[in-house]
Amino acid sequence: MKKIVIINGPNLNLLGSRETVLYGKESFDDVMVKLRMDFPKADLSYIQSNKESDIIEALHDASANGADGIVLNPAAFTHTSLAVADAVAAVSVPVVEVHISNVFAREPFRQQSFVSRYAAGVITGFGVKGYALAINFLCDST
């Protein structure tokens, strides 16, 4: 059984109610129910925080505690946090960077990612289905 940790950054606790045109109407709790149904042979855990330090600790902990892969939606930290990028570079497991919206169709500052260069791959613009794509990749490749 593959152990996959999903880490969501700032404001993703509001998924389903925040800017639904961009992010959809499903809460992440709803998304997790579907992911667990779709990947019954994966051990999926989920962490969300609005704090940069919590995201960094979650990355470190996932790596130290035997995760086979990490799905990371760093949200706004994508474009602002060298510390999160450094944490991704430092962990010993593959990290797939996921974005619900197509960041390349948005404001220019959202098209810059400090994280991408250290990620095993980047999935953007497929809505919450991007999480399933990332998990599928991690389950097949790790």
Side-chain angles (χ1 to χ4, degrees):
M1 181 174 280
K2 299 290 184 164
K3 183 177 178 183
I4 309 293
V5 178
I6 301 167
I7 304 171
N8 274 345
N11 299 309
L12 289 169
N13 58 306
L14 301 176
L15 197 63
S17 63
R18 169 185 174 235
E19 299 178 89
T20 56
V21 170
L22 289 174
Y23 301 111
K25 295 182 180 179
E26 287 182 279
S27 72
F28 208 78
D29 288 339
D30 295 336
V31 172
M32 282 302 295
V33 167
K34 288 181 182 176
L35 291 173
R36 287 190 172 114
M37 288 174 53
D38 291 345
F39 297 94
K41 294 184 179 181
D43 177 11
L44 302 177
S45 61
Y46 171 60
I47 299 158
Q48 186 282 325
S49 182
N50 295 317
K51 298 176 185 172
E52 184 178 37
S53 62
D54 290 349
I55 302 299
I56 294 165
E57 289 297 326
L59 287 160
H60 293 176
D61 290 347
S63 181
N65 294 323
D68 295 301
I70 299 169
V71 177
L72 172 65
N73 184 338
F77 293 142
T78 305
H79 328 290
T80 63
S81 179
L82 292 172
V84 170
D86 286 347
V88 171
V91 299
S92 61
V93 299
V95 177
V96 177
E97 180 182 350
V98 171
H99 298 283
I100 296 168
S101 68
N102 180 355
V103 294
F104 298 104
R106 299 190 60 195
E107 305 91 337
F109 72 89
R110 293 190 194 276
Q111 297 171 21
Q112 168 67 37
S113 171
F114 290 114
V115 174
S116 295
R117 72 180 302 170
Y118 304 113
V122 179
I123 300 169
T124 183
F126 291 100
V128 295
K129 291 178 184 176
Y131 292 93
L133 295 170
I135 293 166
N136 190 58
F137 168 78
L138 290 168
C139 286
D140 285 348
S141 69
T142 59

